[in-house]
Amino acid sequence: MPVSRPRTMEDWLYVLPDCVSSESWTVATSQPKAQLLHRPCPWGGHLVKFDLKRIEIADAPENTANVIVRPEVRSAMSGMCALSGFQGSHTTIRSSEFVAPGEAIVESKTSSWLMHLCAVLFGEMAGKKLSHFFHDPQVPVVLHQKIRRNYPSEGDSALAIWEEGGEVQEGFILIRPESEKGTFNVMFVMRILEGKFAPWATFQFRLLMEGAHRSTQFFLNRPNIRELREIDEKFYVTLSIQSFKRGVPMVPCSSKPTVTIDAGERLGLKLWRRYKTERRGAAGSKGKFFLSEYLTILVNALGEDIETFDTLDGLEAVRYQCIVRRSDWERVRMRFFDDIYPLARAAYRRANGGTYAPSVYEEVETKFNLQEPKRIEEEESLDMPKLVVRNTFLDLEEEDTQDPADRPKRRTRSAKLFPVELSVAEFV
């Protein structure tokens, strides 16, 4: 029976545990630096894998998991991404739709002799398109792209790709560092339509793999790629909050305050209550602290807008951290630290007594909730994976604000969550 189609690298590894190895694959052609492999696809059609070895990347990032540039960054810097001139190749990004940090839907057009050869060997030559991956270069194709870093192994850089709609096609790119610094193994797996793999085309396969190795080498060293990777690494900033041992932080309100801060009157922010999440839907979310929501409340209270995120590159950040586009944060940063956050700290001290108050830190290392690999059942629609927290890396301050019922049994400290009433919409 067919299984649900994969939409993440976790999906691929669950449906096909050997998809990045050579097991269960048939070799169509093998060369010292390139192999073409194929196998039936569990959910219909056929899978083809390009396995390219000893790809050299000049000035590769120190963190090899950052080799692939995020799709939304490539789209934002589309002028730097236009590619032409290598063996008649030409690629342009026309538009994109942002989904989350590390995930976007990108519309682009590509034309090259390599794409034409793939269309002949693997594509559907009839109908409106040659195929979904090897499309008519005059017609743009729209692909959903999702980054995953340090998976399946530390240092890996992966990108899951699929097309929305009817006869959905999907695949992934995985770039893995080899033992020699600056050299990488590049794998590209794609699903093609049933009966479109031609095992007789041995000579053409040799030409294809020679061209694929050269094209990949060029693409990963193309003009502006070093600058793009530098922009990508700084595109987001991770914020963290610490030191709220004596209850959750304070937020401004319009009535029934816990405390009043006279210094906030000039900004209309004199009244303050304790934060309480208004999130719905996520299991166990009610009553917990989320920095992404808390930061949004404070910035909205200043009459500013900011988009905050709980995920980065396919992983969920711990609740006391959030991710923000650097351009957005730089726009509101000064007002946040100069105007509203001193008031939030003063309100916390007023409510609790003493000198301690929460502190917000910038440019911190992102800490993630570790997740179990995705489980896809036969004939089951693809839902978000159930989150299993193995180790939240929470510091002492976060532990003290957690609901005792939610704590692992090995923790013995206790803390009190103060009852509050606040809606995020109050200041939107």
Side-chain angles (χ1 to χ4, degrees), residues 25-41:
W25 293 82
T26 300
V27 177
T29 187
S30 181
Q31 300 172 18
K33 292 186 179 181
Q35 276 190 318
L36 179 67
L37 306 98
H38 66 101
R39 57 162 294 166
C41 179

Side-chain angles (χ1 to χ4, degrees), residues 140-178:
V141 66
V142 180
L143 293 175
H144 199 136
Q145 305 180 22
K146 188 171 185 177
I147 283 277
R148 182 66 163 90
R149 304 195 191 278
N150 293 306
Y151 187 84
S153 301
E154 190 74 18
D156 287 355
S157 185
L159 182 70
I161 306 168
W162 69 95
E163 187 174 31
E164 311 279 5
E167 294 186 27
V168 179
Q169 299 294 294
E170 50 270 305
F172 68 83
I173 300 170
L174 174 65
I175 302 180
R176 173 170 289 174
E178 296 185 353

Side-chain angles (χ1 to χ4, degrees), residues 107-351:
E107 180 185 54
S108 62
K109 291 202 304 182
T110 298
S111 174
S112 72
W113 74 268
L114 188 63
M115 293 287 281
H116 291 310
L117 182 55
C118 285
V120 171
L121 294 174
F122 309 127
E124 174 61 63
M125 301 302 291
K128 296 181 179 179
K129 295 183 180 180
L130 296 177
S131 79
H132 294 281
F133 279 119
F134 312 115
H135 52 281
D136 183 342
Q138 302 304 313
V139 179
V141 66
V142 180
L143 293 175
H144 199 136
Q145 305 180 22
K146 188 171 185 177
I147 283 277
R148 182 66 163 90
R149 304 195 191 278
N150 293 306
Y151 187 84
S153 301
E154 190 74 18
D156 287 355
S157 185
L159 182 70
I161 306 168
W162 69 95
E163 187 174 31
E164 311 279 5
E167 294 186 27
V168 179
Q169 299 294 294
E170 50 270 305
F172 68 83
I173 300 170
L174 174 65
I175 302 180
R176 173 170 289 174
E178 296 185 353
S179 56
E180 183 179 344
K181 187 175 182 179
T183 63
F184 295 79
N185 176 204
V186 178
M187 282 173 272
F188 176 39
V189 173
M190 60 186 172
R191 187 176 76 91
I192 61 176
L193 301 179
E194 192 73 52
K196 297 303 176 184
F197 189 83
W200 50 265
T202 306
F203 175 73
Q204 290 85 350
F205 287 159
R206 287 201 297 268
L207 290 178
L208 175 66
M209 298 313 292
E210 290 172 3
H213 196 281
R214 289 195 303 270
S215 296
T216 302
Q217 178 86 38
F218 170 78
F219 184 77
L220 293 175
N221 293 277
R222 63 193 185 277
N224 300 322
I225 187 59
R226 180 178 178 181
E227 291 78 7
L228 276 172
R229 292 192 183 112
E230 290 175 353
I231 292 170
D232 186 42
E233 290 189 31
K234 298 178 180 179
F235 200 75
Y236 296 101
V237 57
T238 299
L239 307 176
S240 182
I241 189 169
Q242 295 181 14
S243 301
F244 47 103
K245 299 179 182 180
R246 305 179 66 184
V248 292
M250 308 294 288
V251 292
C253 60
S254 57
S255 62
K256 298 181 181 179
T258 303
V259 298
T260 60
I261 302 297
D262 291 339
E265 189 165 9
R266 67 181 182 86
L267 296 173
L269 302 174
K270 183 177 179 179
L271 309 181
W272 290 77
R273 297 179 184 172
R274 294 194 181 275
Y275 160 92
K276 181 180 180 181
T277 181
E278 291 295 320
R279 293 192 177 191
R280 296 288 185 271
S285 66
K286 190 167 178 59
K288 292 185 176 181
F289 176 82
F290 296 91
L291 179 57
S292 57
E293 185 181 53
Y294 177 68
L295 186 70
T296 300
I297 292 171
L298 295 187
V299 171
N300 287 347
L302 289 172
E304 301 278 1
D305 260 332
I306 192 169
E307 195 169 8
T308 59
F309 307 98
D310 296 309
T311 64
L312 180 67
D313 301 328
L315 285 179
E316 182 179 280
V318 293
R319 293 183 287 108
Y320 61 89
Q321 290 188 343
C322 73
I323 293 88
V324 182
R325 290 188 192 92
R326 185 174 299 275
S327 57
D328 287 346
W329 179 239
E330 290 177 350
R331 174 173 51 83
V332 303
R333 178 184 180 278
M334 186 173 294
R335 289 201 67 194
F336 178 83
F337 283 121
D338 291 350
D339 292 340
I340 197 168
Y341 204 60
L343 299 177
R345 288 169 56 85
Y348 192 88
R349 290 191 291 265
R350 178 73 57 84

